Amino acid sequence: MRTVYEAAGGADGMLRLARAWHARVMADDVVSHAFSHGFHPDHSRRLAAYWAEALGGPTTYSDSYGDETSVVRTHSGNGPHEEMDRRAIACFDQALSDVGLASDDRLRQVLHDYFAWATTTTMSRFHRSADDVPDGLRIPQWSWNGLVSGTGPDEAT
């Protein structure tokens, strides 16, 4: 069986999705606030590599950019932001349509479930401070059946 990464179009599909999501969030009054401090000029490519690795693709993100700890630290220390999370998820769902990944119901649901889980679980765990994020976290792996056992947010390398 193909991985979620392969079903979503591989590296090209992930990059199209990351670019579409980024365009959506930058146009959203609430979610764009997360980027008001600026962002890496290669944000979409890095995001695509992260999603690819999480969804069964190559380990480009871990090999080139960092581990889960670095990603979670970037998203930590900003207090609770449930409305921003909800809107980021809505932008993701719209981006799935933008790039043609919403027509396959199973794929759309798996991608939605992954993004919603990552947004509300791993990226939102450390509201108080990025210093609370433990070292050595691995990028959680997501399959057609959800989170792969042993790769959750409490798993260190």
Side-chain angles (χ1 to χ4, degrees):
M1 175 179 255
R2 296 187 315 164
T3 64
V4 176
Y5 164 77
E6 291 165 335
D12 289 340
M14 292 289 100
L15 185 56
R16 282 192 307 275
L17 181 57
R19 286 178 174 154
W21 179 79
H22 190 76
R24 288 275 182 181
V25 299
M26 293 307 289
D28 184 280
D29 293 343
V30 173
V31 187
S32 63
H33 175 74
F35 296 95
S36 62
H37 63 282
F39 52 90
H40 193 281
D42 211 13
H43 177 262
S44 292
R45 188 166 303 283
R46 293 164 65 107
L47 180 59
Y50 178 81
W51 287 344
E53 188 167 335
L55 297 169
T59 59
T60 305
Y61 192 89
S62 293
D63 295 342
S64 302
Y65 304 118
D67 61 5
E68 182 73 357
T69 295
S70 63
V71 175
V72 174
R73 282 185 180 145
T74 298
H75 293 86
S76 297
N78 301 309
H81 41 74
E82 289 85 7
E83 177 63 16
M84 184 180 292
D85 293 345
R86 278 191 295 279
R87 290 177 74 148
I89 294 165
C91 287
F92 185 81
D93 290 343
Q94 293 168 333
L96 289 172
S97 292
D98 293 344
V99 299
L101 291 176
S103 59
D104 178 329
D105 289 341
R106 184 170 183 224
L107 178 60
R108 179 196 47 75
Q109 189 64 55
V110 167
L111 291 169
H112 166 87
D113 291 349
Y114 161 71
F115 188 83
W117 173 83
T119 300
T120 61
T121 303
T122 62
M123 300 304 155
S124 296
R125 282 184 76 195
F126 302 97
H127 296 292
R128 283 191 3 223
S129 173
D131 295 335
D132 294 338
V133 180
D135 291 331
L137 295 177
R138 294 181 306 195
I139 294 175
Q141 302 296 295
W142 199 265
S143 75
W144 292 103
N145 298 315
L147 181 65
V148 175
S149 178
T151 68
D154 295 320
E155 304 296 323
T157 54

